[in-house]
Structure formats: C-alpha cells, structure tokens
Amino acid sequence: MDGLAGLLDGPRARGAFLLRCQMDPPWSVHLQDESPLTVTAMVRGHAWAVPDDGEPFLIRAGDVVVSLGPDHWTVADERTTPPQAVIHPGQVCTTPDGRPLAEEMHQGVRSWGNSAVGETLMLVGAYSLEGEVSRRLLRALPRFVVLTQDELGSPLVPLLADEIAKDAPGQEAVLDRLLDLLLIAVLRAWFARPEADPPAWYLGQSDPVVGPALRLLQHHPEHPWTVAELAAAGGVSRAAFARRFTDVVGEPPMTFLTGWRLALAADLLREPGATLSAVARQVGYSTPFALSTAFKRAYGISPKEHRNQLLDPARRTGEEVG
C-alpha cells in the first residue's frame, strides 16, 4: 500500500461514524469526542468553527473540513451562540448539564439535529482509530484542513449526501468507502497546495529514482530488500541511489523500511485473530522474536502490550448521537 492507502487501512477496517446533521438557528454543538480524524462537509448553509484554543473560522456551503483530534472545538451558527449539545467520546450526546439528547435529536436513519430538514445541513464522518501508518501522514497536517468546493473538484460530497440516509444491505460498507475516497481527495488537493508541507516520503513518490523504490517497499514490506535491488528499480548505482533516497526522504532506505514495517505491524496487531508469527511474516521479519525485539526498541513496549492497549481501551458509557 502507498501512504494514502495506508492512512485509511486501519480506520476502514473498524468502520467510521457517519451522520447527517440538520440544524436550524440558533444552534451550537461542542465537540469533545476526541476522534483522531473527522471529516465535515457543508452541504448547505454555513457554520462557525470555534476551537477551544484557536481562532474561529467560517465554514461555507461546499467546504470540506478535516479536523485532527483530540483537541475540543465548537461548531455553531454564530460564534457567540452558547453550546446546546456536547458530543463526548464514543459519540455520546448530552446537554451541557449532562441530559441525554440522542432520542430527542434523532431525525431518522443517520440523521440528527434540531430540525427535520435543517437550514444548515452538514455531513460528518468521524474515524474512531488512528494507526501508526496513518500517523506518519497525519502529523504533517495542520489542526484544520479546509477546502472549498472548487479546490476539491470532486462529486463525492453530493454522492455521500445522497447515500448517507439510506438503510440498504451493505450500506455501512458503501459509506465507509465513500468517506475514504472523500478523505483521499481532500488530502491530495491539500498537499498540492504551495503552502502545504507534506512528508518527504510523500513527495518522494514522484521522484524518478526514489519513487519506484518507495512503492516497492510500501507494497511489499515482506520481501528481503537490498539496496542493490532498490537501486536497480531506479536505474542507478547503489551509491547514487542511497544518496538520492536519503536526500529526498530524509533517512536511508533501510531505515525507512524498518519504520514502515514496524508501523504496519502495529496496525496489523489490532486485527482480531492476528498472531505475532503471522504479522512477522507479513512485514518481513523471519521470526516473532525478531519482530518483538525491533518493535520494543522502536515503541518502548512489546507487541503483546501494544495489542492489549488496543483491545482493552478505557470506554465511557452513555447514549450515542444517532
């Protein structure tokens, strides 16, 4: 997988929380769900985004916003409207004083708000998990990424708006794929901006020498790669390739490969039924012991401890938004 595909592999496996929000003014929702990544598409109307510790900005019809957690923020019809609802971890919805709102605000299949139609209509997709692979890309993003409809140039928002309220067989899988595609479209457009600062390995994908090697490493981490093989893919000598790769990516090819393998292993370990032996084979380690040693050196905990953290998270109880 390449970097963008890897970004979505973990969250996609678990499914994302999707909702159509229908609001009439005055309205204000404080978001403290702490989702690692949320996509908000404004279908009609407008909203103010008010970070708890940042400058407010206006979200207009056609805009798509990608927000990175876990910091809290408010979305409202006006900057000064006080919050009427709070979204907690696990998508639990209450009033500011703790009264459950899920039933009161329910407006149908994946639809929520204070109106059956809504002067303002937003589509919200919240990813509940962040993997090590996704973190390699997301840490290059600002807290909020905002693109206009013209900048995005994609028909995905109207398609998602049409599909989100359907209750058909396999609909959750359809919505997951649409949300994934929308996120990829936003990130591609954002990283194409002159002011964007994508990771060096992301830019390296287009390098004529480094690009072919990066794709081999990312798509086939299980292979026992050598610098000579990678240099041959780029059509240069070993020495020239090693210099070029380090200059472009910021680290030697074997160092990049080790980091990529361990990031993949960290994500694969969350899969139900995954064994350390199977994961080791998938990411290019000859034995579980070799993977465990490298993993602990990189992350400070064993693969078993990492898996236990993923499978037994602290959870809060309550009613979900919709």
Side-chain angles (χ1 to χ4, degrees):
M1 69 182 78
D2 63 24
L4 280 176
L7 166 70
L8 298 167
D9 196 60
R12 184 175 58 192
R14 289 291 184 269
F17 177 84
L18 285 126
L19 196 67
R20 181 172 63 176
C21 296
Q22 305 161 186
M23 309 298 287
D24 284 339
W27 63 271
S28 177
V29 180
H30 188 52
L31 302 168
Q32 54 185 53
D33 58 319
E34 301 181 359
S35 297
L37 185 151
T38 301
V39 180
T40 303
M42 186 65 65
V43 178
R44 64 172 175 265
H46 74 275
W48 279 95
V50 186
D52 282 11
D53 57 355
E55 290 298 317
F57 61 92
L58 186 62
I59 308 172
R60 298 176 174 86
D63 289 356
V64 177
V65 180
V66 172
S67 56
L68 304 184
D71 295 338
H72 302 171
W73 57 297
T74 297
V75 60
D77 66 321
E78 299 293 343
R79 284 174 286 185
T80 56
T81 304
Q84 300 145 353
V86 179
I87 310 299
H88 304 275
Q91 303 304 323
V92 175
C93 176
T94 71
T95 59
D97 61 4
R99 178 171 60 85
L101 279 175
E103 184 174 343
E104 179 179 330
M105 303 283 274
H106 180 71
Q107 297 293 346
V109 177
R110 300 186 193 89
S111 299
W112 178 91
N114 65 6
S115 170
V117 178
E119 181 179 312
T120 294
L121 176 61
M122 297 175 291
L123 309 179
V124 179
Y127 288 88
S128 60
L129 295 172
E130 180 190 42
E132 291 299 322
V133 172
S134 66
R135 191 173 291 117
R136 293 166 69 91
L137 186 61
L138 296 180
R139 65 190 177 194
L141 296 174
R143 172 73 176 87
F144 294 97
V145 170
V146 184
L147 288 180
T148 67
Q149 186 174 14
D150 289 342
E151 290 174 314
L152 186 60
S154 169
L156 288 167
V157 172
L159 184 57
L160 183 60
D162 184 58
E163 291 285 338
I164 198 168
K166 292 182 180 178
D167 190 16
Q171 192 66 12
E172 289 187 2
V174 170
L175 294 173
D176 278 351
R177 299 301 87 77
L178 287 174
L179 184 62
D180 289 347
L181 290 170
L182 178 58
L183 178 57
I184 287 177
V186 169
L187 295 181
R188 280 177 173 170
W190 176 261
F191 283 136
R193 281 183 168 187
E195 71 271 22
D197 186 24
W201 57 262
Y202 179 90
L203 295 174
Q205 304 278 349
S206 59
D207 185 273
V209 172
V210 174
L214 277 171
R215 288 187 284 276
L216 288 172
L217 295 176
Q218 291 174 326
H219 285 270
H220 302 285
E222 77 286 351
H223 184 80
W225 293 108
T226 66
V227 173
E229 287 179 298
L230 297 172
V236 295
S237 69
R238 289 176 54 187
F241 170 76
R243 286 195 301 270
R244 177 82 169 193
F245 192 101
T246 302
D247 288 345
V248 171
V249 179
E251 58 186 349
M254 294 299 106
T255 302
F256 173 85
L257 176 58
T258 297
W260 182 254
R261 283 172 166 170
L262 293 176
L264 288 174
D267 287 352
L268 289 169
L269 285 166
R270 71 161 53 120
E271 297 299 322
T275 66
L276 190 58
S277 295
V279 171
R281 288 193 300 271
Q282 286 178 266
V283 300
Y285 282 87
S286 57
T287 66
F289 178 77
L291 172 59
S292 183
T293 300
F295 194 96
K296 190 165 187 178
R297 185 184 304 119
Y299 294 112
I301 58 175
S302 69
K304 182 178 180 180
E305 290 169 326
H306 171 75
R307 178 199 286 276
N308 288 341
Q309 288 180 358
L310 292 172
L311 297 182
D312 189 27
R315 297 184 181 275
R316 303 185 188 186
T317 60
E319 294 187 55
E320 290 189 354
V321 171

